[in-house]
């Protein structure tokens, strides 16, 4: 999974559709959500629009623009998430798509999912989340929670969509082990907060990819700051492959909930 962990929070919706194109897409809203957001379906619609006489002299339509329009309309039509208290393991009252940028809906989803396994959850309003991919063990920003389930073992899972990626990259992830509040990059002036033994989120930069993994700080070489900012070097060990390297503070993020000494 060669992908850079996106930092954007929202993708702007294309506003250059013609009236006829909008009317056609509105008629398609009765189709299944997964179909409307699939790459193949949106490519077909985009090709149809781009080759129509009504688009003569106008820019071609990209399939991602069609997909974004469907996602935005589906989010608008998503009703308020009902209370999940008392929901049994065999019931799911969560709408199929609940955008993460709606803090109340996101809170209710995680609160309801975790409460199914007897956990108490604090106020989650207006939080942003990241999830650990089972494909490469890296952490990515979550765009939306799609639905949830409780396994026979009693463990809760949520199906997430990562920011910047389509439905084909959706994953089921463990709520307790692979979902957490979004980590925050350290500022240059905060390097003193990083201590040996700390668990941090570190950007692993390789020739073909740059993605974020959990890592532990093994050693710190403190240096004087200059006009460029912090020049300290942090020796870290990645949890997923046990490799080590020295990095600058710009590649480190603070994992919320971790106790820094």
């Amino acid at each position: 999974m060669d992908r850079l962990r996106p930092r954007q929070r929202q993708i702007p919706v294309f506003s250059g559709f013609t009236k006829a194109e909008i009317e056609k897409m509105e008629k398609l809203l009765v189709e299944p959500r997964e179909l409307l957001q699939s790459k193949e379906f949106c490519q077909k619609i985009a090709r149809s629009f781009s080759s129509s006489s009504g688009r003569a002299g106008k820019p071609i339509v990209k399939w991602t623009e069609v997909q974004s329009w469907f996602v935005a309309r589906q989010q608008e039509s998503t009703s308020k998430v009902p209370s999940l208290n008392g929901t049994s393991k065999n019931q799911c009252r969560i709408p199929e798509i609940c955008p993460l940028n709606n803090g109340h809906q996101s809170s209710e989803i995680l609160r309801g999912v975790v409460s199914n396994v007897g956990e108490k959850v604090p106020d989650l309003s207006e939080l942003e989340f990241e999830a650990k991919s089972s494909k490469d063990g890296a952490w990515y920003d979550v765009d939306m929670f799609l639905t949830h389930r409780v396994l026979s073992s009693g463990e809760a899972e949520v199906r997430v969509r990562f920011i910047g990626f389509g439905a084909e990259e959706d994953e089921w992830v463990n709520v307790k082990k692979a979902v957490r509040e979004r980590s925050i990059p350290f500022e240059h002036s905060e390097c003193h907060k990083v201590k040996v033994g700390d668990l941090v989120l570190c950007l692993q930069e390789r020739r073909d990819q740059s993605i974020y993994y959990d890592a532990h700080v093994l050693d710190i070489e403190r240096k004087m700051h200059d006009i460029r900012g912090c020049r300290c070097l942090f020796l870290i060990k990645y949890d997923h492959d046990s490799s080590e390297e020295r990095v600058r503070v710009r590649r480190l993020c603070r994992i919320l909930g971790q106790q820094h000494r």
Side-chain angles (χ1 to χ4, degrees):
M1 185 180 296
D2 300 336
R3 61 189 188 190
L4 177 65
R5 182 177 189 256
R7 287 290 175 177
Q8 306 94 304
R9 282 290 141 215
Q10 296 181 358
I11 300 174
V13 178
F14 179 64
S15 59
F17 292 113
T18 65
K19 181 179 180 181
E21 290 167 348
I22 293 176
E23 290 177 350
K24 183 174 181 179
M25 289 189 292
E26 287 178 340
K27 293 179 180 179
L28 292 172
L29 288 173
V30 297
E31 299 293 335
R33 293 175 184 270
E34 290 189 0
L35 174 63
L36 293 179
Q37 295 184 32
S38 69
K39 180 178 180 180
E40 294 76 12
F41 183 81
C42 292
Q43 285 178 330
K44 181 179 179 181
I45 299 300
R47 285 194 297 266
S48 173
F49 288 169
S50 297
S51 61
S52 68
S53 58
R55 185 148 285 274
K58 298 182 178 66
I60 63 172
V61 177
K62 300 177 182 178
W63 74 267
T64 52
E65 294 167 344
V66 175
Q67 184 187 60
S68 296
W69 188 92
F70 281 130
V71 170
R73 286 303 302 271
Q74 290 167 350
Q75 290 177 0
E76 290 174 4
S77 63
T78 300
S79 59
K80 182 178 179 181
V81 178
S83 172
L84 295 174
N85 295 331
T87 301
S88 69
K89 294 181 180 180
N90 295 323
Q91 295 176 320
C92 177
R93 301 180 186 175
I94 302 175
E96 292 182 4
I97 292 185
C98 300
L100 185 62
N101 55 19
N102 184 318
H104 175 71
Q105 289 183 338
S106 302
S107 302
E108 289 300 310
I109 291 171
L110 288 187
R111 186 186 304 282
V113 171
V114 180
S115 67
N116 279 335
V117 289
E119 297 288 339
K120 291 184 178 180
V121 185
D123 182 13
L124 300 174
S125 298
E126 299 182 357
L127 297 185
E128 295 177 327
F129 299 90
E130 60 191 14
K132 185 177 182 180
S133 170
S134 60
K135 298 179 180 179
D136 59 7
W139 290 84
Y140 299 95
D141 291 346
V142 174
D143 186 15
M144 61 182 75
F145 295 103
L146 304 175
T147 185
H148 83 273
R149 65 186 182 189
V150 179
L151 305 180
S152 58
S153 62
E155 293 188 317
E157 292 186 337
V158 285
R159 190 163 182 80
V160 300
R161 179 158 301 161
F162 298 107
I163 288 181
F165 302 94
E168 67 277 4
E169 295 280 5
D170 293 349
E171 289 188 42
W172 285 103
V173 297
N174 186 286
V175 172
K176 296 179 67 175
K177 300 176 182 178
V179 178
R180 67 191 181 197
E181 189 174 353
R182 186 175 182 271
S183 302
I184 301 175
F186 281 103
E187 300 290 343
H188 284 264
S189 60
E190 296 180 317
C191 64
H192 65 281
K193 296 182 180 180
V194 184
K195 309 294 183 182
V196 172
D198 282 352
L199 173 65
V200 295
L201 186 67
C202 183
L203 177 64
Q204 186 181 64
E205 297 179 332
R206 295 291 183 263
R207 179 176 301 178
D208 59 339
Q209 65 180 13
S210 296
I211 46 184
Y212 286 78
Y213 290 101
D214 281 346
H216 280 82
V217 180
L218 300 182
D219 189 35
I220 302 174
E221 184 179 347
R222 303 288 184 184
K223 294 187 176 184
M224 290 290 292
H225 292 196
D226 59 24
I227 193 172
R228 295 168 293 180
C230 175
R231 306 308 296 164
C232 301
L233 289 174
F234 301 86
L235 176 62
I236 59 93
K237 181 177 182 179
Y238 293 104
D239 288 2
H240 72 290
D241 63 4
S242 298
S243 62
E244 300 178 8
E245 68 171 322
R246 294 187 183 276
V247 302
R248 304 285 186 186
V249 72
R250 68 174 179 81
R251 290 170 56 184
L252 302 179
C253 296
R254 178 168 61 91
I255 298 175
L256 300 184
Q258 294 294 314
Q259 297 295 324
H260 292 273
R261 299 173 296 281

